[in-house]
Amino acid sequence: MSALSLTVENGIAIITFDFPGESVNKFSQAVKEEFLALFGTLEHDQTIVGAVLMSGKKDSFIAGADIEEFLTWTTAAQAEKASRDGHAMLDALERLRVPVVAAIHGACMGGGLEAALACAYRIATEHPKTVLALPEVQLGIFPGAGGTQRLPQTVGLQAALDMILTGKNVRARKAAQIGLVHELVHPAVLRRVAIQRARELADGTRERNPQARKHDAKALLLDDNPVGRAIVFRQAREQTLKKTRGNYPAPLAAIEAVAAGYQDRERGYREEARLFGEMAMTAISRELIGIFFASTALKKDSGVGDAPVSTMPVRKLGVLGAGFMGAGIATIAVQQGTMVRLKDADVGRVGKGLAAIREVLRESVSKRRITRQQMDDQLLLAGGTVDYSGFGNVDLVIEAVFEDLHVKHQVVREVEAVIPPHAIVASNTSTIPIARIAAASQRPERVLGMHFFSPVHKMPLLEIIVTPQTAREVTATAVAYGKQLGKTVIVVQDAPGFYVNRILSPYLNEAGRLVDGGAAIDAVDTAILDFGFPVGPLTLLDEVGLDIAGKSGPIFVEAFGERLMPSTTLRKVVESGRLGRKGRKGFYLYDEDGKKGGVDDSIYAFTPGGAQRVAVEAEEVQQRCVLSMVNEAVRCLEEGIVRSARDGDIGAVFGIGFPPFRGGPFRYIDAVGAARVVERLEELNSRFSGRFAPADLLVRMARKGERFHPSGARPL
């Protein structure tokens, strides 16, 4: 089936890109060939004087390349050729006899933006769904169809590097300000205005690809001379290395490709293709692509298998507890158009919760993600109460009250007395088994866990926790609503700590035991940062809150015994009353604004060895912390807590920041080799008896030479 359709109106060709059978448009090899054939038509049909490129998809222009085809490359030469083919196609677009106007509505990503840059004129809709980006670094590569060459010439060197090296979204108004697009219009008139601009370009009354970017004097000084550019490139390399700690090579390769283009156009394109080919074959890119496919597959996963299941819409949400988590859940709900009733014990707490919602929405307005009118409309969806008024017609209730079983039992009994029979009751508990909470319910089949991560509006993961009694339609409804809220959802079986917090526990405990043994706090954190985690484990404890960490410890010890016993230092720090960042004192010190300072050396008084510290090799820190986590992840898979290695990888990457370039715990084991991991665990267990005994499943896989993800298979 054709992805392109062509109609002609008074000499202007309207090209509609509508990739068959997909929700978004993407450049497959077949689509590229279809474009080249169409370019031939435009070139030779003298009745056509201009063209408009539009999308047939709702709220999406072009998503980029067909990532499926990346998996067919087995050599750098094949990937390099794909880049050169992209150059050829977009060069043909840029040099067409007839000017082409890119009419952009919705997401314009990767190869889609590269194609737009090759057009003679770019119009975008001023709409929240319209964003432009080059997100290739998130796959361990960089723009390979001319993006590193055309973008700097369009928006300037510094703005281009910012987009290429971060992959961040640029919204329509900002895109117009930096010259990425030439004009903004309302979606209703996009087609008409684009046709008019194509006609003006054709008759010469409008300039092709006008340089609309606005430079300040400093930007001009840096961009337009070799010395200035050298400064920009040096700073970009330094900042990239500081941010990536050398774990991601693609941003550095992108800088080299951009720099080559300033020396010579043809060399720039050659270097882009060569370096793209090299990056596409790195293990890092393969792992990141694996994460991409896994998260994409989860978007289509009902959470209850392939058998048909009905779900109910969630039109009104009740939230019990207006604290940090409750207000966070309410915030993302109103942003998706759900009416929310927020309850707490007194008016002051409810007021603080509503104020927290308002603050997040104000931030969205300041960053131009939404308009002020949209903010006002969303705020109208949130109402507060100190009783259960307004809960009589809710579809879903999420409790986010104090982490105490008796308190949770009380609110479950109270809320079930007023909600309709069809309503679902969900707990946002982070450690208490859902079955224990459901014991207080008259309808345990309609009770489950919805474990959000903090801060709710930023963290992408949602764990749906089910018990043997949870009805399939209840699970499917919670999964569907989680996706509606924009979350990546995994379904896990009920158990203490569920999946994410359970694998986090031994990791944090081991960091504490390293401090028990004399390691410096900052040395432990630095070693883990170098491994690729976004924050060190001791910093993470401060961020989460030492009081919260202290409550989870006894639950894990009760369930799993001495193996998950917190370290001496951690227990004593918790007992001292330190709260971490929110109390301005934890393993580190914090100023009034919560900004992290240095290590609080008084912590060492809580350690068995006192103030005396010893040097510990970074590899020792990494092996003890990371292997304790991945071993626990295998246990969770073995026990059926997670449904698959795919879900286990996604949960760790999206929930606690396991390094994406390592693919998650199970892909990490595959990369190292199960036999090698078992060998390392056994060596550690000989030194620290009981803490590192390899999971039985891992031992069996090592013996048989098996992998969690089949080698060479499509990453799912």
Side-chain angles (χ1 to χ4, degrees):
M1 295 177 63
S2 175
L4 304 177
S5 61
L6 180 66
T7 59
V8 181
E9 297 184 11
N10 298 320
I12 303 299
I14 296 92
I15 307 160
T16 303
F17 188 1
D18 194 351
F19 197 101
E22 297 283 352
S23 60
V24 297
N25 291 321
K26 52 189 179 181
F27 286 120
S28 65
Q29 186 58 38
V31 167
K32 293 175 190 174
E33 292 170 1
E34 196 173 345
F35 263 105
L36 287 170
L38 184 142
F39 293 162
T41 299
L42 297 180
E43 194 68 33
H44 295 104
D45 188 340
Q46 297 300 313
T47 65
I48 297 174
V49 297
V52 173
L53 175 61
M54 301 189 69
S55 169
K57 305 297 185 185
K58 181 183 178 181
D59 296 334
S60 177
F61 181 62
I62 303 173
D66 185 349
I67 309 302
E68 295 266 4
E69 293 187 351
F70 288 16
L71 302 178
T72 66
W73 303 334
T74 57
T75 66
Q78 290 174 313
E80 181 178 344
K81 181 181 182 301
S83 176
R84 292 200 307 270
D85 289 346
H87 294 167
M89 185 188 86
L90 296 188
D91 279 350
L93 170 60
E94 187 175 46
R95 297 177 183 182
L96 272 175
R97 173 185 61 84
V98 299
V100 179
V101 174
I104 303 166
H105 173 68
C108 177
M109 301 289 177
L113 179 52
E114 289 179 292
L117 288 169
C119 290
Y121 199 79
R122 293 175 293 283
I123 306 176
T125 58
E126 192 166 9
H127 189 276
K129 294 290 182 68
T130 299
V131 292
L132 302 91
L134 293 173
E136 288 87 346
V137 289
Q138 296 168 15
L139 297 179
I141 51 177
F142 60 84
T148 65
Q149 307 304 302
R150 288 191 178 91
L151 187 63
Q153 299 304 318
T154 303
V155 301
L157 178 57
Q158 290 174 295
L161 286 174
D162 186 39
M163 287 184 65
I164 293 168
L165 300 181
T166 65
K168 71 180 183 182
N169 289 344
V170 175
R171 298 191 176 274
R173 186 171 295 182
K174 179 68 173 179
Q177 289 172 352
I178 65 175
L180 187 56
V181 299
H182 299 107
E183 190 172 353
L184 299 180
V185 298
H186 190 278
V189 299
L190 175 63
R191 187 179 189 274
R192 177 174 62 80
V193 174
I195 291 172
Q196 180 61 31
R197 296 297 175 263
R199 192 174 309 284
E200 292 166 355
L201 290 164
D203 63 24
T205 58
R206 186 172 293 272
E207 179 188 0
R208 285 196 186 203
N209 206 12
Q211 293 299 305
R213 57 189 167 106
K214 300 176 176 63
H215 284 309
D216 58 26
K218 181 180 178 181
L220 281 170
L221 180 65
L222 293 173
D223 274 21
D224 294 345
N225 73 85
V227 175
R229 291 196 298 270
I231 293 171
V232 174
F233 286 128
R234 186 184 73 247
Q235 291 177 341
R237 292 184 186 97
E238 290 172 352
Q239 291 169 5
T240 297
L241 282 170
K242 181 179 179 181
K243 183 177 179 180
T244 66
R245 305 179 85 90
N247 288 319
Y248 293 86
L252 293 172
I255 294 170
E256 296 309 311
V258 173
Y262 277 93
Q263 298 171 30
D264 175 80
R265 175 184 168 89
E266 292 304 317
R267 181 184 175 190
Y269 280 94
R270 285 198 307 272
E271 283 298 283
E272 181 185 87
R274 181 184 68 82
L275 291 166
F276 177 87
E278 289 181 3
M279 294 302 104
M281 287 298 105
T282 61
I284 290 166
S285 179
R286 293 289 149 155
E287 298 295 2
L288 293 171
I289 288 174
I291 293 294
F292 169 82
F293 278 117
S295 58
T296 300
L298 276 168
K299 293 176 183 177
K300 303 174 183 178
D301 191 333
S302 69
V304 293
D306 297 329
V309 62
S310 60
T311 62
M312 70 174 190
V314 177
R315 297 187 179 91
K316 186 173 182 180
L317 172 69
V319 179
L320 303 177
F324 187 66
M325 293 301 294
I329 294 166
T331 299
I332 62 172
V334 299
Q335 287 176 315
Q336 297 303 320
T338 306
M339 186 178 294
V340 177
R341 194 70 168 160
L342 185 64
K343 179 191 179 299
D344 213 311
D346 62 62
V347 173
R349 291 178 185 173
V350 173
K352 286 182 179 179
L354 294 173
I357 296 171
R358 187 180 300 108
E359 189 60 34
V360 173
L361 296 181
R362 279 178 178 166
E363 181 183 355
S364 293
V365 171
S366 68
K367 293 184 177 180
R368 302 188 184 278
R369 294 171 183 159
I370 60 173
T371 65
R372 185 166 294 278
Q373 182 61 56
Q374 288 171 316
M375 170 183 146
D376 292 340
D377 292 343
Q378 290 170 7
L379 282 172
L380 287 174
L381 293 172
T385 181
V386 294
D387 54 27
Y388 287 99
S389 61
F391 276 71
N393 60 347
V394 299
D395 302 301
L396 170 66
V397 173
I398 302 176
E399 68 83 4
V401 301
F402 191 65
E403 196 77 343
D404 179 274
L405 185 59
H406 298 296
V407 175
K408 292 182 184 295
H409 278 176
Q410 179 182 342
V411 299
V412 167
R413 293 189 186 102
E414 290 175 353
V415 78
E416 280 193 342
V418 296
I419 61 176
H422 77 271
I424 297 168
V425 176
S427 174
N428 183 55
T429 179
S430 56
T431 52
I432 301 173
I434 301 303
R436 294 188 186 180
I437 297 171
S441 171
Q442 296 297 310
R443 300 188 289 271
E445 74 281 358
R446 305 197 73 75
V447 178
L448 46 59
M450 293 182 72
H451 179 209
F452 293 85
F453 293 78
S454 177
V456 178
H457 66 288
K458 292 182 179 179
M459 293 297 287
L461 188 71
L462 171 62
E463 276 186 309
I464 301 291
I465 304 102
V466 299
T467 74
Q469 292 180 286
T470 307
R472 290 180 77 247
E473 64 269 20
V474 169
T475 302
T477 295
V479 169
Y481 186 61
K483 294 176 188 175
Q484 184 182 326
L485 295 177
K487 298 302 181 184
T488 297
V489 183
I490 62 171
V491 175
V492 305
Q493 293 298 315
D494 190 28
F498 318 128
Y499 172 67
V500 173
N501 280 349
R502 177 169 162 186
I503 69 171
L504 185 63
S505 177
Y507 164 83
L508 296 176
N509 289 346
E510 206 56 40
R513 291 180 189 276
L514 281 154
V515 176
D516 283 355
I521 291 168
D522 51 352
V524 172
D525 274 354
T526 298
I528 296 302
L529 287 171
D530 288 342
F531 186 82
F533 278 84
V535 296
L538 301 170
T539 299
L540 180 61
L541 281 165
D542 277 359
E543 293 285 341
V544 170
L546 292 166
D547 53 335
I548 295 173
K551 287 181 173 61
S552 65
I555 293 172
F556 286 119
V557 173
E558 178 187 353
F560 305 109
E562 292 292 317
R563 182 169 59 80
L564 293 190
M565 175 69 74
S567 69
T568 299
T569 301
L570 180 55
R571 292 201 305 272
K572 290 186 176 181
V573 169
V574 170
E575 290 166 2
S576 74
R578 293 175 183 236
L579 299 176
R581 182 181 179 184
K582 62 188 175 186
R584 295 173 54 191
K585 201 171 186 181
F587 285 94
Y588 295 85
L589 296 172
Y590 300 83
D591 65 17
E592 292 182 359
D593 298 322
K595 185 177 180 181
K596 180 181 170 186
V599 170
D600 185 352
D601 290 335
S602 67
I603 286 282
Y604 295 132
F606 298 121
T607 66
Q612 187 65 37
R613 297 291 94 189
V614 297
V616 180
E617 291 291 333
E619 185 178 6
E620 170 83 357
V621 175
Q622 293 165 356
Q623 293 294 298
R624 286 173 59 177
C625 291
V626 174
L627 290 182
S628 64
M629 176 185 284
V630 302
N631 195 35
E632 201 67 32
V634 176
R635 285 196 176 95
C636 288
L637 180 62
E638 186 174 30
E639 297 169 15
I641 305 302
V642 285
R643 298 177 298 165
S644 64
R646 175 201 72 182
D647 289 9
D649 285 335
I650 289 293
V653 171
F654 287 17
I656 52 180
F658 193 97
F661 70 92
R662 298 187 188 275
F666 297 98
R667 288 193 174 278
Y668 174 71
I669 293 171
D670 286 346
V672 175
R676 179 64 177 137
V677 171
V678 167
E679 179 184 325
R680 291 176 180 176
L681 284 168
E682 288 176 339
E683 188 276 327
L684 287 169
N685 204 47
S686 69
R687 291 193 282 141
F688 310 103
S689 181
R691 296 213 305 271
F692 291 95
D696 291 342
L697 174 59
L698 186 56
V699 172
R700 291 197 300 272
M701 295 188 72
R703 189 180 302 124
K704 296 178 181 179
E706 294 177 341
R707 298 167 52 92
F708 290 102
H709 298 278
S711 179
R714 183 181 184 272
L716 287 177

